Amino acid sequence: MRTSLTARRRVALLLAGVTAVAFTAACGGTGTESADGRTVTVYSADGVGGWYKNRFAEFTAQTGIAVNLVEAGSGEVVNRVDKEQSNPQADVVVTLPPFIQKAEQAGLLQPSGIDTAAVPAADKDPDGHYVTLANNYLCFIANPAVDSRALTWDDLLKPEYKGKLQYSTPGQAGDGTAVLVLLQQLRGKQGALDYLAALQANNVGPSSSTGKLQAKVDKGELLIANGDVQMNLTTVQEKGSKFDVFFPAADGKRSTVPVPYVMGLAKGAPHQADATELMRFLLAPEAQSKLGPEAFAVSPRTDVAAPAEGGPAAALRGVEVVAVDWDKVLAELDADLAAYQKATGS
């Protein structure tokens, strides 16, 4: 027996701190079921909502299958799936590394069987548990009151940013974890801890969602926050937000790390066949070709070219992308997070 619309809404309300948004194309409204009751539920890290909305509408129009989107911070997405193992609610899981690797190691994913031949080996699990959906990169954002063009990591320690700077929490948010990972690459593990301990004097406090920091920077409540290229540029375009994307420099060089959106089929997915159909649709060239113009993201497919100008191409010009072994990051993450919490007192 299929769950009623009211029951599904109750489930969404029980997911505290998570916003459920459903997109259907059949009647131009919102809801969690199509006319015949076929529904796929996607648990996703926030940031690509606009691209999702358009793709889900197209998918529903073509298949009659409605899509229910539940967005949260990257770590929270996996935590929710883990807590619901006895009664799975999610069909498709989309989150950032190393949380997708954590989900795979915890047995929360299953092979989808979709064709990923056009995606490089580095961007997918060899056993088919997950595949990159959209490439994206860590960045920072600054209120226009700040000239961010020449900002260095050391500049962020200046007293003028006390109470006006915030970054999402490592271990809870993918972008926050990426901040820790990038600083480890630039300064070594102890150097990263020393730096973040010093930065704590300016840091407003923890945040499980990077996306929520955007509005604070836009309004001037914060002057600086971390973010990611895709989400921040999309927000500027869609909402007219007033902030600038930048990459703090170290030794005269600006660097970043990749923070891709990675997709997997949830173990015990209630609607496995329909979920697999949605995954095929989202990874197909037609949907992937819209990532650049609509979401400022880069397709992982080798047969879908990234936009030559504008969007991520312009933002990343002159910025070194540092490769990351996310499996190694995950293996050392618990110890690194314990050290981070001790160093920062958080």
Side-chain angles (χ1 to χ4, degrees), residues 168-201:
S168 52
T169 307
Q172 296 184 34
D175 295 321
T177 305
V179 171
L180 176 60
V181 170
L182 177 57
L183 285 167
Q184 288 175 339
Q185 299 281 342
L186 297 176
R187 297 170 177 253
K189 289 199 173 188
Q190 188 58 51
L193 293 176
D194 293 342
Y195 176 84
L196 290 170
L199 187 65
Q200 200 68 6

Side-chain angles (χ1 to χ4, degrees), residues 23-24 30 48-58 69 294:
F23 303 103
T24 60
T30 61
V48 287
W51 182 77
Y52 275 150
K53 182 178 180 178
N54 294 334
R55 301 294 79 72
F56 293 166
E58 293 167 356
L69 173 64
E294 288 187 12

Side-chain angles (χ1 to χ4, degrees), residues 211 214-215 218 231-243:
Q214 297 181 111
D218 183 31
M231 176 176 63
N232 296 147
L233 293 182
T234 299
T235 302
V236 169
Q237 175 177 272
E238 294 182 352
K239 298 183 179 180
S241 295
K242 303 293 192 299
F243 50 69

Side-chain angles (χ1 to χ4, degrees), residues 262-319:
V262 189
M263 174 174 66
L265 179 65
K267 184 178 180 181
H271 312 98
Q272 182 173 333
D274 291 344
T276 301
E277 189 168 353
L278 174 63
M279 293 175 69
R280 287 196 186 97
F281 178 87
L282 294 177
L283 198 62
E286 183 176 357
Q288 288 282 300
S289 68
K290 306 292 179 55
L291 280 171
E294 288 187 12
F296 296 99
V298 179
S299 172
R301 293 185 64 104
T302 56
D303 55 357
V304 175
E309 295 295 332
L316 290 166
R317 191 169 293 118
V319 179

